[in-house]
Amino acid sequence: MLKQKKYFKIMMTGGGTGGHMFPLIAVARELEEISYTAGFQIRFILVGPEMKKDISREDHFIYRHLITGKLRRYLSFKTILDIFKTIIGFIQAFYYMLLYKPDIIFSKGGYGSFPTVVIGWLFRIPVISHESDSVPGAANRLLSIFSKKIIVSFPGEYDSLPNKKIEYIGNPMRQMDKGIKSDALKEFSLIPDKPTLLIIGGSQGSHQINMLVQDILPELTDKYQIIHQVGKNKLPELDKEFKNYHMYEFLNENGMKNAYAAADLVISRAGAGSIFEIAMTGKPSILIPLKHDPSNHQKENAKRYAEAGACIVLDPRKVLPRTLLENINDLMNNQDKRDKMSKAAKAFAKPDAAKKIAEFILNYSGYEK
C-alpha cells in the first residue's frame, strides 16, 4: 500500500514527435503498473493536440496542449513567431503548474518540454530528464541546467552534459516484441513463407528512404513482400499497386508490433527510438541515418549500434538505390549473418528500461510503497 499521501502527482512533458511521446507513454504505463490501484495522478503536457491521436485507445492518461516555439539554429520570420509562441507556452506552463502542483516532472526533451521544465524549476519542483540519443539534442543540453538527474540511453560520458547528473538506464520503449506473426499475416495480407521487409523512417517517415525504395521496388517485390511506413504526406505519389507491397502513412502501436513480428529484416533511420525498438524485437537491420543532421546524433547512434554487431549502416550522403538493394540481398541470402545480428540486437536492448526509469523517478522523489 502506498503510504505518503493520497495522490502523488507526476507531470510528463516532451514533444513534438513520437520519439518523445512513446517513451513517456512507456514510463507512464510502468508507473501505473507499480501503483496498481492507488497513488498516482499523471498529467501529460505536450505540444499540439495531434500528438494524442497516436496513442493506444487503452491508455486513459490526461493530456494538456502546450503552444511553444522551436529552438531554431537559424534566423527567419518563423524564429520571430516562435518567440511569441514560447511566451504563450510559458504562460500555459505556469497555469498548469498552479493547477496540478506536481511533485516531480519527467521530461523527454524536445522543444515542447522547455517551458514546462523551466517553470517547474522556478516552482522548485525536481526535474528528471531523459536523453535518448548518443549526442544530446539542443533542448536537453539547455535543460540539463534545470534538471536534478539526466537519464541516458547509451553508456559512456557526454561532453555536452554534466556527467555528475547522468544515470545510464536505457531508452524506455513500448513493448514492441509482443507482436503476433499470425495476426500480422492477416493484417497486412502477407504470404506465410515469403521473406518480409519492414521499411520505416521513425514516426514521421523518411523521404530519403522512401525515394531509395521507390527506385528499386520492382526488384524488391520480385523477391520479398514489403511493409512500408512512409510517413504522412512523405510520398503520396508512390505506386501502391505493386504486388507484395503494402504501404501505410502511419502504423499504430499494434500495427507496428505485428509488423516487427512478421519482418525478417528492417530498413530504418537511426533515431534512438527506432534503434531500441529494433533491438527489443531482435531483428537484423540496415540503418540509414538522417542526411541533414547538424548534430550528427543519428550517425553516432548508428555507429554505436553497428559496433555491437547488430546492424549495417549506409552513409546517407553516398547511398544509392542499387547500394541498398545489394545490401538487402546480401543479408537476406545469409541466414547465419542475420542470426548473429539478431543475437547482438537483443544483447544491446534494454527491455526493462521503462520499468527501471519509473522506479528511479519514485525512488528519487522519496515516494514510499
Side-chain angles (χ1 to χ4, degrees):
M1 188 70 180
L2 299 168
K3 297 178 181 178
Q4 281 192 330
K5 53 186 173 180
K6 185 176 180 181
Y7 292 115
F8 183 75
K9 300 177 182 178
I10 303 170
M11 184 173 285
M12 297 193 160
T13 185
T17 68
H20 299 106
M21 181 67 155
F22 300 146
L24 290 175
I25 291 292
V27 173
R29 288 174 179 172
E30 291 296 339
L31 285 167
E32 281 208 325
E33 187 71 22
I34 292 169
S35 69
Y36 189 56
T37 58
F40 298 131
Q41 284 185 346
I42 300 174
R43 298 289 186 273
F44 283 78
I45 310 298
L46 301 166
V47 179
E50 68 277 2
M51 291 292 290
K52 293 194 299 181
K53 293 188 297 185
D54 301 335
I55 303 306
S56 169
R57 292 180 181 178
E58 297 174 2
D59 292 318
H60 50 272
F61 306 120
I62 297 173
Y63 303 87
R64 293 293 178 260
H65 172 213
L66 190 79
I67 297 171
T68 190
K70 293 185 178 181
L71 301 174
R72 299 183 188 276
R73 295 180 176 85
Y74 53 89
L75 187 63
S76 73
F77 180 68
K78 289 183 178 180
T79 307
I80 299 172
L81 289 177
D82 283 342
I83 291 172
F84 289 102
K85 286 182 179 180
T86 302
I87 292 171
I88 295 171
F90 273 101
I91 294 170
Q92 287 180 297
F94 185 84
Y95 168 74
Y96 292 141
M97 220 61 64
L98 286 176
L99 181 64
Y100 297 124
K101 297 181 176 63
D103 295 285
I104 197 163
I105 296 170
F106 180 58
S107 167
K108 192 58 197 69
Y111 67 93
S113 63
F114 183 66
T116 304
V117 168
V118 174
I119 295 297
W121 177 79
L122 290 174
F123 274 76
R124 297 180 179 270
I125 298 165
V127 176
I128 296 176
S129 296
H130 185 276
E131 175 55 59
S132 291
D133 292 303
S134 54
V135 178
N140 268 351
R141 292 199 302 270
L142 179 60
L143 294 178
S144 66
I145 299 169
F146 308 99
S147 301
K148 293 290 187 180
K149 288 291 182 179
I150 305 163
I151 298 171
V152 298
S153 297
F154 292 87
E157 293 195 348
Y158 288 70
D159 294 338
S160 55
L161 294 177
N163 282 277
K164 63 183 180 180
K165 294 184 179 182
I166 286 179
E167 298 286 338
Y168 167 53
I169 299 179
N171 199 52
M173 303 303 303
R174 301 169 297 168
Q175 298 297 311
M176 284 296 155
D177 58 341
K178 303 300 183 185
I180 301 172
K181 188 169 182 179
S182 59
D183 289 350
L185 296 177
K186 296 175 184 177
E187 180 174 353
F188 302 111
S189 301
L190 300 176
I191 301 168
D193 298 325
K194 195 172 184 68
T196 303
L197 308 179
L198 172 59
I199 302 173
I200 52 179
S203 62
Q204 297 181 315
S206 166
H207 182 71
Q208 181 183 22
I209 291 177
N210 293 347
M211 294 302 295
L212 290 168
V213 169
Q214 182 183 34
D215 287 347
I216 55 175
L217 260 182
E219 294 96 327
L220 287 176
T221 53
D222 184 51
K223 291 184 177 181
Y224 317 110
Q225 53 193 348
I226 299 170
I227 304 168
H228 188 181
Q229 178 182 285
V230 298
K232 188 175 182 180
N233 299 323
K234 287 290 183 182
L235 199 58
E237 72 276 12
L238 191 60
D239 190 347
K240 300 180 184 179
E241 297 183 1
F242 276 94
K243 186 179 179 182
N244 300 321
Y245 180 69
H246 311 277
M247 184 183 82
Y248 303 87
E249 279 196 341
F250 182 81
L251 291 171
N252 63 23
E253 183 173 345
N254 286 330
M256 280 303 302
K257 287 179 181 179
N258 289 335
Y260 276 121
D264 297 291
L265 177 67
V266 180
I267 296 92
S268 174
R269 283 200 334 193
S274 296
I275 285 177
F276 280 94
E277 280 189 358
I278 295 167
M280 176 182 283
T281 61
K283 299 296 179 176
S285 58
I286 296 173
L287 301 184
I288 304 174
L290 185 65
K291 187 175 183 178
H292 302 293
D293 180 9
S295 66
N296 279 329
H297 72 277
Q298 288 206 6
K299 181 180 178 182
E300 186 63 26
N301 292 346
K303 177 184 174 184
R304 296 196 188 190
Y305 195 48
E307 287 172 349
C311 73
I312 290 173
V313 181
L314 302 181
D315 188 335
R317 300 184 182 278
K318 297 179 181 178
V319 63
L320 299 171
R322 191 60 45 184
T323 314
L324 177 59
L325 179 63
E326 289 171 357
N327 277 274
I328 290 172
N329 287 337
D330 286 347
L331 270 178
M332 292 304 294
N333 290 329
N334 191 333
Q335 181 67 53
D336 183 59
K337 187 171 184 179
R338 295 205 315 276
D339 289 342
K340 289 178 180 177
M341 291 172 72
S342 178
K343 184 177 179 181
K346 289 178 180 178
F348 190 89
K350 297 285 184 182
D352 58 350
K355 181 178 181 179
K356 287 186 176 180
I357 290 171
E359 292 172 345
F360 182 86
I361 291 170
L362 297 179
N363 290 337
Y364 185 82
S365 66
Y367 197 68
E368 298 178 3
K369 295 181 182 179

